[in-house]
Amino acid sequence: MRQPTFPLFPDKHTHPAAPDPAEHAAWVRSIHGHGASLGGLDGVAMVYQPRLLQHALHRYRPRVLEGWVRGQLLIVQHDGRTLGICGGFGIGAPAAVLVLEQLVALGITRVITVGTAATLQPDMIPGDTAVCDAALRDEGVSHHYLPPGRSAIASSDLTQHLVAALRAAGVPFRLGDGWSTDAPYRETVPEITRYRTDGILTADMEAAGVFAAAAHRAIDAAAAFAIADSLVDRRPRQTQPRTVTSLCVLLSAALDALSASVRASAGAHQAH
């Protein structure tokens, strides 16, 4: 018997979908008015840890938009720009990409995802930071958006702005590839050994799906992680205050990067 492919329907990424995120945008406008849009936002940072969302509520004193997307959408003023911080929608690529689709349908063109990850490298410890410029596609979502392939790629431009923001803030970080998987309790020793040898820095659940959906929708997406634990030095789970601090630093850098990206884009348009 022929082995099934994934997705089960061949080349499904080439076909239009029946549900359209524009339906969500139309629903929002039916509630909030015909002109309801997020097109005035210069970008959105997507966050996953409740503690980071609470930090954003206290640190940035945002305006909260209820019912525009799944989860909470905070509107903040940062470096002269209007930006969003979105969280409270769950974890994993399906949850993240559902929200990403809603954001894009409402006008968002830049997204940086900020979360935790495990490291595959023995010289990284909890609280270290990483910028992910490509992610192994070991989750399911990306295969519904892109043709078969090993990795999904971050936006080079937005990643460069994120790197520049971290350097300007004096934050040490590693730049490299990650591994996105839907099954964190099925990260096996042979996989970890192989990917560690390949130089993969991190394991997370969302980046590949976010990068793939962003590519499909022709928007920019980047990703940054605070290391929460290690897959090569397993220890009983414990609270890591340094990881929480790093998440807050990464959120600030993500907002800086989104602002810088908008300024650079505006400058390029003026030059032409």
Side-chain angles (χ1 to χ4, degrees), residues 173-248:
F173 66 94
R174 296 272 292 273
L175 172 66
D177 291 4
W179 167 33
S180 293
T181 173
D182 287 333
Y185 285 117
R186 286 296 300 152
E187 295 161 332
T188 65
V189 172
E191 291 173 295
I192 293 164
T193 301
R194 167 67 181 275
Y195 297 148
R196 182 185 71 234
T197 302
D198 289 346
I200 304 299
L201 298 181
T202 56
D204 83 300
M205 297 179 69
E206 296 88 14
V210 169
F211 294 164
H216 179 78
R217 297 297 179 190
I219 71 156
D220 291 322
F225 303 128
I227 300 303
D229 62 353
S230 172
L231 292 176
V232 295
D233 182 21
R234 297 302 296 162
R235 298 179 181 179
R237 183 174 179 176
Q238 54 187 299
T239 302
Q240 300 286 357
R242 187 167 176 260
T243 299
V244 176
T245 300
S246 293
L247 279 171
C248 298

Side-chain angles (χ1 to χ4, degrees), residues 6 92-95 97 137 139-146 182 208-210 212-213:
F6 183 79
V97 171
R137 296 168 58 188
E139 39 59 70
V141 173
S142 66
H143 300 274
H144 298 271
Y145 283 86
L146 295 179
D182 287 333
V210 169

Side-chain angles (χ1 to χ4, degrees), residues 1 18 20 25 30 38-39 58 74-75 93 97 100 132 165 167 174 190 236:
M1 180 181 293
D20 191 327
S30 73
L38 298 178
H58 292 293
L74 317 182
I75 308 302
V97 171
L100 177 68
C132 179
R167 286 175 176 159
R174 296 272 292 273

Side-chain angles (χ1 to χ4, degrees), residues 54-69:
Q54 288 301 312
H55 163 79
L57 284 165
H58 292 293
R59 168 69 176 80
Y60 297 102
R61 300 188 179 280
R63 178 166 58 98
V64 180
L65 293 185
E66 299 286 354
W68 284 59
V69 297

Side-chain angles (χ1 to χ4, degrees), residues 264-272:
S265 179
H269 286 140
Q270 290 174 359
H272 291 293

